[in-house]
Amino acid sequence: MEDRSGIFAGDDPFALASAWMDEARISEPADPDAVALASVDSTGMPNVRMVLLRGLESDAFVFYTNYESAKGREIIASGKAAFVLHWKSLMRQIRVRGVAERERGVLADSYYESRPLGSRIGAWASAQSQPLKSKAALAAAVAREGVRHGADPKRPPFWGGFRIRPLEIEFWANGKYRLHDRFRWSRAGIDEEWTVRRLSP
């Protein structure tokens, strides 16, 4: 295996990802934890959208959403997802592909409770990804759910987290003349050992 040094050094891809994210929180002007999340529908047609990464665990990445949204339904059906973190300020990105599982326990409750009240009510009011008659209809739904749930709404049963356990993680850094540095960590299963290879730019 080629020696990896500098920003690519280390034997744990999650620790490396955490270090890069810490740098991005300092240098990136907005949403350093924004990821472009990809899924596929039942026909194999891909979908991608921006979401906020809300957890980087010792072996997984976590974000939260409505399970009945397009992304929620697609990820539940396939059990897989991919995303990319891109930081223009650092000229780096991290690409992840892996298996996905729902997080519906204490961690999801805790994150939901940390959100502003309006966002918690909004999670109850919005039938995410479904056709909406008008913005006024959404405002009315928010008002109804606000009255119904009061100042301390509980997490909706259809809302929670996804934990993505990677089978591949690629670390990319910009290089002069587009001769970028790329290292791909891969494994056959989530309990298997990682293999690291340098990739051509």
Side-chain angles (χ1 to χ4, degrees), residues 183-198:
F183 287 94
R184 182 179 63 203
W185 297 63
S186 60
R187 56 185 177 176
I190 59 174
D191 296 320
E192 302 294 325
E193 294 295 318
W194 290 103
T195 297
V196 188
R197 289 189 173 88
R198 178 185 278 275

Side-chain angles (χ1 to χ4, degrees), residues 2-3 8 180-184 196-200:
E2 178 176 347
D3 176 55
F8 293 98
H180 312 307
D181 287 305
R182 299 173 62 187
F183 287 94
R184 182 179 63 203
V196 188
R197 289 189 173 88
R198 178 185 278 275
L199 304 179
S200 296

Side-chain angles (χ1 to χ4, degrees), residues 156-171:
F158 53 81
W159 191 99
F162 279 106
R163 180 176 285 105
I164 301 175
R165 298 188 186 279
L167 298 177
E168 290 183 8
I169 307 178
E170 181 188 320
F171 295 87

Side-chain angles (χ1 to χ4, degrees), residues 3-4 19 23 62 71 99 107 111 117 123 148 154 159:
D3 176 55
R4 286 174 289 104
E23 289 185 66
V62 182
K71 61 182 170 294
V99 296
L107 190 65
Y111 175 69
L117 176 59
R148 178 182 170 202
K154 301 304 178 187
W159 191 99

Side-chain angles (χ1 to χ4, degrees), residues 108-157:
D109 291 338
S110 178
Y111 175 69
Y112 179 80
E113 289 165 8
S114 76
R115 304 176 87 208
L117 176 59
S119 296
R120 285 181 280 160
I121 294 296
W124 279 101
S126 174
Q128 196 174 114
S129 301
Q130 299 304 310
L132 179 64
K133 183 177 180 181
S134 66
K135 193 66 178 276
L138 178 60
V142 169
R144 284 195 306 272
E145 296 299 335
V147 170
R148 178 182 170 202
H149 296 284
D152 187 26
K154 301 304 178 187
R155 180 175 61 85

Side-chain angles (χ1 to χ4, degrees), residues 4-149:
R4 286 174 289 104
S5 58
I7 63 172
F8 293 98
D11 298 320
D12 180 352
F14 298 100
L16 184 55
S18 181
W20 283 27
M21 289 192 72
D22 286 344
E23 289 185 66
R25 289 186 182 103
I26 297 169
S27 65
E28 195 71 13
D31 294 330
D33 55 353
V35 306
L37 175 75
S39 59
V40 294
D41 67 16
S42 59
T43 71
M45 181 67 75
N47 259 326
V48 65
R49 75 289 283 168
M50 302 302 296
V51 302
L52 297 178
L53 195 63
R54 289 310 193 196
L56 202 173
E57 301 177 342
S58 63
D59 63 348
F61 299 86
V62 182
F63 74 95
Y64 295 88
T65 191
N66 185 321
Y67 291 137
E68 296 173 0
S69 66
K71 61 182 170 294
R73 289 182 280 108
E74 289 170 4
I75 293 171
I76 290 168
S78 71
K80 301 176 181 125
F83 68 80
V84 61
L85 282 154
H86 175 256
W87 301 296
K88 191 175 182 65
S89 61
L90 295 175
M91 293 188 290
R92 298 182 206 169
Q93 66 182 14
I94 299 175
R95 298 174 59 224
V96 172
R97 299 201 304 161
V99 296
E101 61 187 32
R102 279 182 276 190
E103 166 51 61
R104 294 180 284 187
V106 174
L107 190 65
D109 291 338
S110 178
Y111 175 69
Y112 179 80
E113 289 165 8
S114 76
R115 304 176 87 208
L117 176 59
S119 296
R120 285 181 280 160
I121 294 296
W124 279 101
S126 174
Q128 196 174 114
S129 301
Q130 299 304 310
L132 179 64
K133 183 177 180 181
S134 66
K135 193 66 178 276
L138 178 60
V142 169
R144 284 195 306 272
E145 296 299 335
V147 170
R148 178 182 170 202
H149 296 284

